[in-house]
Amino acid sequence: MFVFTLCLFLWSWLSSIHSLEFRYHNSVEMGQYLKDINGKFPDITHLHSIGQSVDGRELWVLILGQHPREHRTGIPEFKYVGNMHGNEVVGRVLLLQLINYLTSHYLSDPLVTRLLNSSRVHILPSMNPDGFESSARDCMYTIGRYNKNGVDLNRNFPDAFEGNSEREREKEVRAVMDWLKTESFVLSANLHGGAVVASYPYDNSNGGSELQGGHSISPDDDVFVQLAKTYSYSHRDMHNGNICYDSQDFTNGITNGYHWYPLPGGMQDYNYVWAQCLELTLEISCCKFPPEAQLPGLWEANKPALLAYIQQVHLGVKGVVMDSYGKPVQNAVVEVAGRRNLCPFRTDRNGEYYRLLLPGNYTITVTYPGHKTLTQTIQVPYGPDAFSALTHNFFLQESDYSSKATQLPQSCTTPNLGIPESDSATLLPSVFTTLTLLLLQRLLLS
């Protein structure tokens, strides 16, 4: 009896060490908590800032995984982003709780252990800390929604349907856009409040072929629906579709973003179109700023869904594209038949590609300058159960003729960050090249 009591005491004591109080932590407290976690778990976490808010607060990202400090070939990159709207605070709380849960259960919980061993998870608890600090504790009003400059960050991204690529970007948006250039994210979700539903792309439309029956349908609509249902049906209540008394009913707890309401300049579409990262918008609470007493229940409702959604990063197929010398190549175009993405998916700087696909047979075509076009049909199993997508590498052969690079649509050029003149910026490559040629020409003529 004594041994049992001692074990129970030790278990309770160890649990209390890792426990995180269910309350709203301010930005200083949140930063300190992340630093403490990074200090306690240096082997599976890495903390860094992707930039600062308008008011100078750090945009902290904690990376969790077996190799948190660097990408490893074959290990997909996943991210969660919270508190994009400063007064929608539940996502911020849940992502801190998720960090606590993942770190405290690693090596003791099989699911957590396999998730962190098979993927690299990036968590940005608060994208809009300035808005959070100015928020009023109110369920529905907008005080604190915007950043310090009064801008809605979820209307400030480049939009493939709007032609607003030259618009000025807020500091927080520019930080995220830069972040997406440093990591090859495969799957993502951003957490909001004010409804309970999983929303998927597209959020916008210009009346083109994507607009079908009031929905703006992406080429990967079947995958997005699967992702949304995974979260919804893993959630305690979301799949019921009618949780909030003042919200419309959502069949299966999911919705096409545009069908719900058109949203220009959203982060979800930007991730998908320009960063090759499939992202959902998860509305996870009827009240935007609920009483703290409700936070434990909201965590329990969302915890299994947050874990199940990470596991979906293993859908489909992944691999490396190599040239005739066996060297991985960057910017090879990897296209799946029947899926005409606005911007074709391309290999990253490691020569890797990731395509989230449902189980089935797919014909994939790979093109790369100076090499023969390669087309292969492969059978894709359901990867999440094995915590790995199908690995399929492509080996290219040199062509006998000089082939040109696949011409990408003009809209696929990485949009301008819209940096104000007051910010320092380097010359664009095209400008630098032009100036160099003019200088050489002057020297030759003199």
Side-chain angles (χ1 to χ4, degrees):
M1 182 64 183
F2 173 75
V3 175
F4 173 77
T5 304
L6 180 61
C7 290
L8 185 62
F9 171 77
L10 288 173
W11 180 86
S12 300
W13 179 71
L14 288 171
S15 298
S16 66
I17 292 176
H18 298 302
S19 64
L20 176 67
E21 192 177 358
F22 280 100
R23 66 178 179 85
Y24 296 114
H25 298 79
N26 64 35
S27 296
V28 173
E29 292 173 323
M30 182 185 71
Q32 188 58 54
Y33 172 73
L34 295 173
K35 292 174 184 177
D36 290 344
I37 283 289
N38 186 214
K40 289 177 182 177
F41 303 97
D43 293 336
I44 60 168
T45 67
H46 174 62
L47 180 65
H48 70 113
S49 172
I50 62 169
Q52 292 183 331
S53 66
V54 173
D55 235 7
R57 295 182 173 92
E58 300 294 340
L59 303 179
W60 292 113
V61 171
L62 189 75
I63 308 175
L64 302 98
Q66 198 171 29
H67 304 286
R69 290 167 185 78
E70 60 182 2
H71 174 77
R72 295 295 179 95
T73 300
I75 302 297
E77 306 287 344
F78 175 95
K79 66 180 168 71
Y80 273 132
V81 176
N83 202 207
M84 185 182 196
H85 291 143
N87 65 327
E88 296 173 16
V89 296
V90 175
R92 176 184 172 117
V93 172
L94 296 195
L95 291 183
L96 292 178
Q97 290 293 333
L98 180 63
I99 288 169
N100 179 67
Y101 186 83
L102 292 174
T103 52
S104 63
H105 287 75
Y106 183 67
L107 297 182
S108 63
D109 181 299
L111 174 59
V112 169
T113 303
R114 296 194 73 179
L115 285 176
L116 295 190
N117 285 349
S118 63
S119 58
R120 194 160 167 251
V121 179
H122 305 242
I123 298 179
L124 170 58
S126 182
M127 183 180 165
N128 186 5
D130 296 351
F132 173 82
E133 296 297 341
S134 67
S135 293
R137 296 200 174 199
D138 187 273
C139 269
M140 299 307 298
Y141 293 121
T142 60
I143 298 174
R145 174 186 178 92
Y146 310 111
N147 78 340
K148 180 72 172 182
N149 291 333
V151 175
D152 188 330
L153 300 181
N154 207 29
R155 306 293 189 278
N156 191 240
F157 281 84
D159 193 307
F161 300 104
E162 293 278 324
N164 65 347
S165 61
E166 299 303 316
R167 180 177 163 189
E168 183 177 321
R169 309 294 162 201
E170 294 300 302
K171 283 189 70 175
E172 299 88 349
V173 169
R174 280 152 41 198
V176 169
M177 291 173 66
D178 282 337
W179 184 31
L180 295 178
K181 295 176 184 177
T182 66
E183 303 285 354
S184 299
F185 290 111
V186 178
L187 180 61
S188 172
N190 70 88
L191 280 58
H192 290 253
V196 177
V197 64
S199 175
Y200 57 91
Y202 291 124
D203 271 334
N204 203 8
S205 169
N206 58 8
S209 59
E210 76 283 346
L211 192 58
Q212 302 174 29
H215 295 68
S216 188
I217 304 298
S218 77
D220 294 290
D221 188 70
D222 58 338
V223 180
F224 277 121
V225 169
Q226 163 71 14
L227 293 170
K229 285 185 176 180
T230 294
Y231 196 92
S232 176
Y233 278 90
S234 299
H235 188 281
R236 186 184 63 199
D237 307 308
M238 186 180 287
H239 57 275
N240 293 323
N242 57 353
I243 306 304
C244 305
Y245 74 93
D246 57 348
S247 179
Q248 68 185 76
D249 290 350
F250 298 103
T251 304
N252 297 317
I254 70 174
T255 185
N256 172 260
Y258 182 86
H259 182 70
W260 188 11
Y261 59 91
L263 191 161
M267 183 166 69
Q268 176 173 265
D269 284 2
Y270 180 81
N271 268 266
Y272 176 52
V273 173
W274 277 294
Q276 303 182 174
C277 175
L278 276 66
E279 177 168 292
L280 297 187
T281 298
L282 301 174
E283 303 278 354
I284 54 175
S285 62
C286 299
C287 179
K288 295 181 179 182
F289 209 134
E292 290 176 332
Q294 296 181 14
L295 297 178
L298 288 166
W299 165 244
E300 291 302 323
N302 283 276
K303 179 177 71 174
L306 289 166
L307 297 172
Y309 187 72
I310 296 175
Q311 196 171 347
Q312 292 297 298
V313 77
H314 298 299
L315 277 174
V317 60
K318 63 185 179 182
V320 178
V321 177
M322 287 170 272
D323 63 15
S324 54
Y325 300 99
K327 178 183 176 182
V329 296
Q330 184 177 5
N331 283 329
V333 174
V334 181
E335 295 182 289
V336 180
R339 295 170 189 265
R340 295 185 62 83
N341 296 91
L342 290 178
C343 294
F345 278 54
R346 291 170 285 174
T347 55
D348 63 15
R349 58 184 173 275
N350 302 306
E352 287 184 275
Y353 75 94
Y354 291 84
R355 282 309 312 251
L356 297 183
L357 299 167
L358 302 185
N361 293 323
Y362 296 89
T363 299
I364 299 179
T365 298
V366 181
T367 53
Y368 184 67
H371 291 73
K372 296 178 180 178
T373 298
L374 181 60
T375 299
Q376 295 178 353
T377 298
I378 59 176
Q379 185 175 21
V380 175
Y382 184 70
D385 286 345
F387 291 83
S388 178
L390 173 71
T391 299
H392 187 89
N393 299 325
F394 289 94
F395 300 89
L396 303 176
Q397 295 181 344
E398 284 187 323
S399 60
D400 297 328
Y401 55 91
S402 179
S403 63
K404 297 181 179 180
T406 301
Q407 198 69 26
L408 297 176
Q410 184 64 35
S411 60
C412 292
T413 305
T414 303
N416 194 321
L417 291 178
I419 300 174
E421 292 181 6
S422 57
D423 285 333
S424 60
T426 57
L427 287 173
L428 295 175
S430 59
V431 176
F432 181 81
T433 302
T434 302
L435 291 175
T436 303
L437 290 174
L438 288 173
L439 179 60
L440 288 173
Q441 184 181 36
R442 180 164 295 182
L443 288 172
L444 289 171
L445 292 175
S446 60

